[in-house]
Amino acid sequence: MSGLTYWAEYAWLPHANGPVVERDVLVTVGPGGRIAHVTPDSGPCPPGAVRLGGLLLPGRANAHSHAFHRALRGTVQVGSGTFWTWRDTMYRFAGALDPDSYLALATAVYAEMALSGITAVGEFHYLHHAPGGARYTDPNAMGHALVEAAARAGIRITLLDTCYLSAGFGADLTKPQLRFGDGDADAWAARADALKDTGHARIGAAVHSVRAVPADQLGTVAHWAAMRRAPLHVHLSEQTAENDACLTAHGVTPTRLLADHGVLGPRTSAVHATHLTDEDVRLLGDSSTTVCMCPTTERDLADGIGPARRLASSGCPISLGSDSHAVIDPFEEARALELNERLRTRTRGHWTAHALLRAGGEDGHASLGWPEAGRIEAGALADFTAVALDTVRTAGPGPQLGAETAVFAASAADVRHVVVGGRHIVRDGEHRLVPDVATALRTAIAALDA
Ligand SMILES: [Zn+2]
């Protein structure tokens, strides 16, 4: 995809003194779907260029997703329950999926993501085998379905193939979990070895949690990721029950256990990190581990408010994920980081809009192993998202406040255009590859009959 030229009314661009909003920005796409030139103050939209109204942002990175959780939307809001009863419902839907139905569902979910401005997703994938644990003919049939779904929706994917071996410390998998398991970490690695990077897809690894991978096998997963120079993700301390069980089993916190087995580091992302000790924060910061916060899920599941600000100050890059897809809205996810901190501290001003855009952009892409994405500059991947500044939510503030308006007032519904690798996949709010995303979602979820 080269030779294309886009013209943005306004664009949020990197600058030596920090990001700035520029006007009349010409962005040309060169070979390999990368940005060839960025020219601010270029004058009116020239003939032949594609006009993108509103504020152009780097494409949004959704660093933590379980695509099938989208099927739970609404269903899990009836009555009360806990994280653990929510999980029982989630397992019911997990049990209903096969490679074909997952392809249909994930295509629709990733298309919803595209419409919300997301150009890359990190899919934390553990639904590997058939119900009961029988292997598909292609042992990676489910993972391949997710990679194909992202292609159909026009977005990038990092398939974080997840090692999931036990129900808890020293506990065998339960019946609904049998399809997650490979037996041991070596068998997991042998299966994951068969997954290959393609143009729109990169392969990473994940440790489901310290509950699900025995301590003596954590190093195998970490080593696999190190050998492939692949991202490594892990759910960490989302619930205090995990901390309590880890302390009972090993006498240390989950963070300490991961540190002692070589799981932390600059290619690693710890997801949630809600309930941490001061030492945990230091271990994560000192190792430059990214922390992926999922605020809309964490509040939905009553997890608590993670110490994102302290983690960032201690050296952790922060990324953002929609995780359970209670909603899919990268702007809501970003502002929640600041607004949660305001509620907790009763003071304002912990994160600037620019820092929040970076978390959902450059740092999110880096966390997914796409360091060449997340900036609108020459040489970067031509992935961007245009947010309208003239809707009922965004009209009023001047364009110089575009970043603040996008983060603190816009919603997914204000996204007008999405470009991935130079390809225009959302135009005027319409997905050009999946023409009726709402129907695709409804049909795919109804088919599960869970
Ligand atoms: Zn998760």
Side-chain angles (χ1 to χ4, degrees), residues 147-241:
V147 169
E148 173 61 19
R152 292 187 185 187
I155 67 172
R156 301 184 196 279
I157 184 170
T158 298
L159 185 72
L160 299 159
D161 194 285
T162 304
C163 186
Y164 197 134
L165 304 173
S166 54
F169 298 93
D172 290 341
L173 293 175
T174 62
K175 190 156 176 269
Q177 296 169 333
L178 288 173
R179 61 186 311 191
F180 310 161
D182 289 295
D184 61 32
D186 287 325
W188 166 84
R191 182 182 52 71
D193 272 343
L195 292 161
K196 305 293 179 212
D197 291 358
T198 61
H200 77 294
R202 291 185 180 165
I203 307 302
V207 166
H208 179 274
S209 58
V210 294
R211 287 174 280 129
V213 178
D216 62 0
Q217 300 188 56
L218 290 169
T220 304
V221 184
H223 180 72
W224 186 93
M227 289 299 100
R228 290 204 25 168
R229 305 194 63 74
L232 173 61
H233 286 219
V234 53
H235 286 133
L236 177 64
S237 294
E238 180 178 9
Q239 295 277 321
T240 52

Side-chain angles (χ1 to χ4, degrees), residues 28-55:
T28 56
V29 180
R34 288 179 183 255
I35 297 171
H37 302 284
V38 179
T39 315
D41 292 315
S42 66
C45 183
V50 178
R51 183 183 188 283
L52 305 176
L55 176 69

Side-chain angles (χ1 to χ4, degrees), residues 108-124:
V109 174
Y110 295 158
E112 179 186 355
M113 288 185 194
L115 287 171
S116 80
I118 289 162
T119 54
V121 62
E123 180 65 34
F124 196 107

Side-chain angles (χ1 to χ4, degrees), residues 1-144:
M1 187 73 55
S2 65
L4 263 172
T5 300
Y6 292 94
W7 178 91
E9 201 176 5
Y10 300 98
W12 185 74
L13 300 180
H15 186 272
N17 299 324
V20 288
V21 175
E22 303 269 19
R23 63 181 305 157
D24 302 340
V25 180
L26 211 54
V27 182
T28 56
V29 180
R34 288 179 183 255
I35 297 171
H37 302 284
V38 179
T39 315
D41 292 315
S42 66
C45 183
V50 178
R51 183 183 188 283
L52 305 176
L55 176 69
L56 198 67
L57 299 170
R60 302 291 84 203
N62 188 1
H64 189 66
S65 161
H66 309 281
F68 75 93
H69 291 191
R70 175 63 176 82
L72 280 68
R73 195 177 288 182
T75 301
V76 287
Q77 305 299 354
V78 179
S80 55
T82 65
F83 173 91
W84 306 102
T85 57
W86 171 91
R87 195 179 70 159
D88 289 340
T89 309
M90 184 264 279
Y91 283 171
R92 216 170 64 231
F93 282 92
L97 284 157
D98 63 24
D100 289 338
S101 57
Y102 208 5
L103 173 61
L105 175 60
T107 300
V109 174
Y110 295 158
E112 179 186 355
M113 288 185 194
L115 287 171
S116 80
I118 289 162
T119 54
V121 62
E123 180 65 34
F124 196 107
H125 166 56
Y126 52 81
L127 205 49
H128 302 303
H129 306 297
R135 274 38 180 171
Y136 291 111
T137 309
D138 167 9
N140 286 310
M142 294 292 263
H144 285 139

Side-chain angles (χ1 to χ4, degrees), residues 331-367:
F331 306 102
E332 178 65 36
E333 222 66 68
R335 66 177 158 261
L337 216 57
E338 165 68 16
L339 299 179
N340 281 351
E341 208 68 37
R342 290 184 189 178
L343 284 172
R344 174 166 48 199
T345 61
R346 294 190 291 162
T347 58
R348 308 174 87 231
H350 307 275
W351 304 87
T352 64
H354 298 296
L356 294 168
L357 286 174
R358 181 185 169 114
E362 185 171 356
D363 289 345
H365 282 96
S367 144

